[in-house]
Amino acid sequence: GVKDGTWTVLQLVEALGFCLENTDPRTRGRGIQLLSQVLLQCYSLLKEKEVLHLVLFYESRLQDHHLVIPSVLQGLRALSMCEVLSPGLAVSVLKAIFQEVHVQSLLQLDRHTVYSIITNFMSTREEELKGLGANFTFGFIQVMDGEKDPRNLLVAFQIVRDLIAKDYDLGPFVEELFEVTSCYFPVDFTPPPNDPHGIQREDLILSLRAVLASTPQFAEFLLPLLIEKLDSELQSAKLDSLQTLTACCAIYGQKELQEFLPSLWSSLRREVFQTASEKIETECLAALHALSACLSRSVLSSDSEDLLDSFLSSILQDCRHHLCEPDMKLVWPSAKLLQAAAGASLRTYHCITHSVLPLLLEQYTKHTQSSQRRTILEMLLGFLELQQKWAHVEEDESILLSLQAPVCSVVFSALTDPSVQLQLVGIKALTVLGSLQGFLSSSDLELVVDHLVRLALHEEDSQSSEAAMEAAGSLAPTYPKVFSGRMVPRLEEELQSEREESNHNHHSLQQRCLQALAAVSTHTSIVRETVPVLLQYLQKVQKGTEARNTQDMVSVCQSLHHVALQCQQDAEGCWYFHQTVVPCLLAMAVQATMQESTHRLPGKALLEEEVLAAMIPVISAATTHLSPELAAQSVSHVVPLFLDGEVSFLPQNSFPCSFQPFGAGECLEAQRRLVALLMAFVCSLPRNVAIPQQEWLLRELLALSCSCNCPFTATTAAKCFAGLVNKHPAGQQLDEILQLAVNRMEPSLEEGPHRKQALTLLLWVTKALVLRYHPLSSCLTDKLLGLLGDTELGPAAADGFSLLMAESPDVLHKGCHADVRIMFRQRFFTDNVPKLVQGFHGAGPDVKANYLKGLSHVLNHLPKPVLVSELPTLLSLLLEALSCSDRVVQLSTLSCLHPLLLEAPQVMSLHVNTLVTKFLDLTSSPTMAVRIAALRCAHALTSLPTTVLLPYKGRVIRALAKPLDDKKRLVRKEAVAARGEWFLLGSPGR
């Protein structure tokens, strides 16, 4: 009635008069409860005069019987949300609550109601409450004092934060407000099991920390408390204290810290020198960093003492001498403390490095052992890395510039040391020095390049070689002229040289040259130098007759792919790479097919599957990041090359015969193989780039994929067709081409010499449509399910489910702009797993394995949470799959079960007898991969409840003794791990 206006609230009060004036407190309580419930739903409809009368009524009831108070507080909470509350009423209500209600004697919910009333008034009546002055703060302290419930504490802590943040008058009650909150520090709370409120210990810690670190006024009380807790034995108290100290430093100044600095430093130093806990050490260093930053920020008055200098002096005095100790025991703790302080500000960096860097350089020279030198250089590296923070400040260069010669000398000496570990630290240091603009002179830079070339090419240890290449890549963008003018020619010279040393060493050197050329190509100007070198070497290898040609070509393509990936974020470099490399690769491939067209296939290394497969990612990576305009420009050349034989855009385009990859005849078999390169290009184009003559191209690809006798060519044609179909706009044209594909596939799948090719096409087209949720996908999937019962194609069709669910490396993935909808795997699972299960139960014994294999492939690629939720219905089938003789089914099922043992132990424990038997049987499988997977599952069984496993302990330990003697080391390793866990099963503390 109040809601629709037929009753006013005052009429309701009159109607409730008998209840509200009743002598029985329970009856009065019920009357007020009803009125309060109405107000909680209708408070926004009240008028100002009604609110005034209600507030006066409810205030008077605060003196009533304790049974009535909860309902009175609910009514006041409703009134505290009214926008028409008259000025002065908020103060009146709070005064009445402070005076009449002993809050901490109420139940949790009623206390929460009081906090809600205060919160509501603070958000809407701030100025009125501030008019109360410190009385409001004192009243709240009384309300909160003794609170124990975590739900209420979170609200109470927020109120204290607001009191401080919104500048309420704390008056003489600062210490009382601190005491009423700090009594909870450090938080000791463990949420009860199945807690519906979801409050975690961390929530209370962060909320309380926000209070304690909210005002410098708490400093004189808080800092002694933090020091006391730091000196305790409780690790959680130490961590909380350190994190709170770090938070406080953000708002404290010198004045707050001055009295406590010696004690704080003493505690921090002790913890870093003595603790075995990495967490505590990390927090100590963070706190020291925060203290140093705080002192650096403080503005000094002319007559005040400079606390930062004296604080840093204490640090240097206590840590510096440890850097010189022969046993180097406390070297790292001291270095970490010094670096934590030095990283706080430019001023602390100057002060500490001025004292420490010369000492470290002296110690490096003094020590001769590589291990000691490495430790010293790692410390030096820590200080050099801090220098990068201040690189933008000009005067900052002075300290390191004065030490330029000795620093460079130390780093260069590390690069020539026989110790690989010292070399690695030297390479890191070199990278940091190179990042400091202006630090290295031109002669130093030349020396840097020489060292990197030597390490990259001639250092025996691959770690140093790889680190040197990585360093060259990170420094090259800063010094492109030096690297393109000095390093690239050196690498080219080494690559082209004909050496007399052993073939193996020479080949290894060439491999490293190729890797180094790719690694250094991190700037467009360098890419313009390295790409021609790589292409020239590829052409040289193509003309050779050595047995290693195939591997050499693959290596060049891998380097080109590396360069392509590094160019992708730079539009200029990306376009240069594309228009240089793609036509060149196509021209070389076309040339190779011409040389073969008059002879038999395939004689040239360039046309081998391995080489073409290595060229695919190069062309793909060179295409995916092109702008639509440039991609359209390129596609207008490449597609006509394949459809019309238009070779004019290719370099060296004088070919002996025409290029017709879609033509008929055995002599064109070599040319057809290049459809792989067409696939790499067109399937990587952005979706908004129009492909010329696309319908014609699709028809040619369809015909080739169904009729070609070469499996490689047929598969790449099918993938290319699928990639284009996936991106094709929906509509009549797409429907027609798909119908054409179905009409070509169906008869070929039934009978004839091209059944396998038709199945490959079916799989790729189905995948293309499943990814984009096309309606035809379900029809094609049903065809695939039907083929599981085919004795010839069934095993391949079952493996095809892996193709449908897995990420494809070259087409149909998001990186090449394919249309991939989210959760397509879950949708495929929901639609098709029931059909797989049904098919399995109805299948003959000779094809049952196909259904199990298909199912295990689907489950293997399903997100684990989905799999766990479906586990009860599928587990019996998975256990049956373990009995299948097909090793692919066994392996796939084991890899599916392994995570389920860890994530769903309760469900799995219901089948423990079967699981133990099956896993132990499979540890004797003739296939090594199956033995390893079975042992891992036997190991994972130990995550099931101990009481369930104990009856099997002896049997499992005896059975696992046999694989301990397996002839394969990896099997023995898994057996040791699994048997060890079973031995410990049921031990105390596990």
Side-chain angles (χ1 to χ4, degrees), residues 430-483:
L430 192 65
T431 309
V432 175
L433 289 180
S435 68
L436 304 174
Q437 203 68 41
F439 182 80
L440 296 173
S441 65
S442 56
S443 59
D444 287 335
L445 282 169
E446 290 179 2
L447 200 53
V448 165
V449 170
D450 292 345
H451 277 301
L452 290 177
V453 170
R454 177 183 57 78
L455 289 166
L457 300 187
H458 303 294
E459 178 55 48
E460 283 184 25
D461 191 276
S462 61
Q463 279 182 285
S464 294
S465 174
E466 289 166 12
M469 292 181 199
E470 191 179 332
S474 62
L475 290 175
T478 311
Y479 308 101
K481 286 186 179 176
V482 179
F483 279 86

Side-chain angles (χ1 to χ4, degrees), residues 483-794:
F483 279 86
S484 61
R486 191 171 182 89
M487 187 168 188
V488 176
R490 289 274 303 278
L491 294 172
E492 181 181 7
E493 183 185 336
E494 292 279 7
L495 188 62
Q496 303 292 355
S497 65
E498 301 291 340
R499 292 176 176 263
E500 294 181 4
E501 59 195 292
S502 75
N503 272 346
H504 174 74
N505 288 343
H506 187 216
H507 187 253
S508 175
L509 176 66
Q510 287 178 325
Q511 295 296 309
R512 284 195 177 184
C513 283
L514 293 172
Q515 291 166 4
L517 282 165
V520 79
S521 302
T522 49
H523 188 274
T524 303
S525 65
I526 301 173
V527 171
R528 290 177 183 276
E529 302 293 329
T530 56
V531 164
V533 173
L534 290 168
L535 292 175
Q536 187 182 348
Y537 183 69
L538 185 62
Q539 289 164 342
K540 175 186 171 185
V541 174
Q542 185 193 11
K543 292 170 186 171
T545 55
E546 293 179 25
R548 276 208 176 102
N549 279 5
T550 300
Q551 186 51 49
D552 284 346
M553 286 184 171
V554 170
S555 298
V556 180
C557 290
Q558 287 169 345
S559 291
L560 285 168
H561 182 229
H562 189 174
V563 178
L565 293 175
Q566 291 172 166
C567 289
Q568 284 181 339
Q569 303 309 317
D570 174 57
E572 182 192 346
C574 186
W575 178 235
Y576 167 77
F577 185 91
H578 181 89
Q579 65 177 353
T580 307
V581 174
V582 173
C584 183
L585 292 182
L586 290 172
M588 290 172 65
V590 171
Q591 183 70 46
T593 65
M594 301 296 178
Q595 291 165 353
E596 290 300 327
S597 294
T598 52
H599 307 295
R600 59 186 181 79
L601 178 84
K604 286 290 176 184
L606 195 67
L607 297 178
E608 290 185 19
E609 283 183 29
E610 194 180 349
V611 179
L612 289 172
M615 292 169 83
I616 288 170
V618 179
I619 295 173
S620 180
T623 307
T624 51
H625 284 63
L626 287 181
S627 68
E629 297 76 26
L630 295 175
Q633 186 179 325
S634 190
V635 78
S636 67
H637 296 304
V638 176
V639 172
L641 167 68
F642 282 84
L643 289 178
D644 306 319
E646 179 54 63
V647 297
S648 58
F649 83 103
L650 298 178
Q652 306 149 0
N653 53 21
S654 55
F655 301 116
C657 56
S658 60
F659 181 61
Q660 298 174 303
F662 294 115
E666 285 297 318
C667 62
L668 298 176
E669 190 62 49
Q671 295 188 10
R672 294 190 193 107
R673 296 170 78 81
L674 301 197
V675 170
L677 306 185
L678 173 68
M679 174 198 75
F681 176 76
V682 294
C683 292
S684 302
L685 291 167
R687 259 186 272 174
N688 56 353
V689 174
I691 296 173
Q693 307 173 87
Q694 184 171 9
E695 307 312 312
W696 178 18
L697 177 61
L698 283 165
R699 289 169 189 271
E700 295 286 9
L701 288 167
L702 180 60
L704 185 60
S705 64
C706 287
S707 60
C708 184
N709 292 319
C710 170
F712 175 77
T713 303
T715 301
T716 50
K719 288 162 77 172
C720 190
F721 180 83
L724 292 174
V725 161
N726 174 264
K727 296 181 192 177
H728 199 296
Q732 186 182 350
Q733 282 185 326
L734 178 61
D735 295 342
E736 286 175 2
I737 200 72
L738 287 174
Q739 190 56 51
L740 189 64
V742 171
N743 294 343
R744 288 295 296 264
M745 282 188 287
E746 282 184 336
S748 298
L749 285 168
E750 292 297 327
E751 57 183 5
H754 297 120
R755 292 190 78 199
K756 288 187 178 178
Q757 288 91 325
L759 173 61
T760 302
L761 179 63
L762 173 63
L763 286 169
W764 282 103
V765 174
T766 304
K767 183 177 178 73
L769 300 183
V770 163
L771 292 178
R772 63 180 280 178
Y773 290 177
H774 191 280
L776 187 61
S777 63
S778 58
C779 173
L780 295 183
T781 308
D782 288 344
K783 289 185 189 299
L784 190 60
L785 287 164
L787 288 171
L788 292 175
D790 187 293
T791 50
E792 182 190 351
L793 293 182

Side-chain angles (χ1 to χ4, degrees), residues 943-988:
S943 63
L944 270 54
T946 304
T947 50
V948 175
L949 296 176
L950 282 175
Y952 303 93
K953 181 176 177 179
R955 175 186 163 192
V956 173
I957 290 172
R958 285 192 299 276
L960 292 181
K962 184 184 175 186
L964 291 176
D965 294 325
D966 197 280
K967 59 186 177 182
K968 295 293 185 181
R969 182 182 61 83
L970 293 174
V971 177
R972 296 196 300 272
K973 180 183 171 186
E974 293 296 340
V976 168
R979 198 162 185 257
E981 279 300 314
W982 276 91
F983 262 118
L984 294 170
L985 196 71
S987 303

Side-chain angles (χ1 to χ4, degrees), residues 359-389:
L359 179 66
L360 289 175
L361 294 168
E362 179 192 321
Q363 289 297 307
Y364 184 91
T365 312
K366 185 176 170 185
H367 289 282
T368 53
Q369 288 183 17
S370 294
S371 59
Q372 293 173 325
R373 284 190 156 193
R374 187 185 114 201
T375 301
I376 294 164
L377 188 56
E378 282 176 334
M379 288 189 285
L380 184 64
L381 174 61
F383 286 105
L384 293 176
E385 285 172 338
L386 290 175
Q387 171 84 16
Q388 292 173 303
K389 288 175 72 174

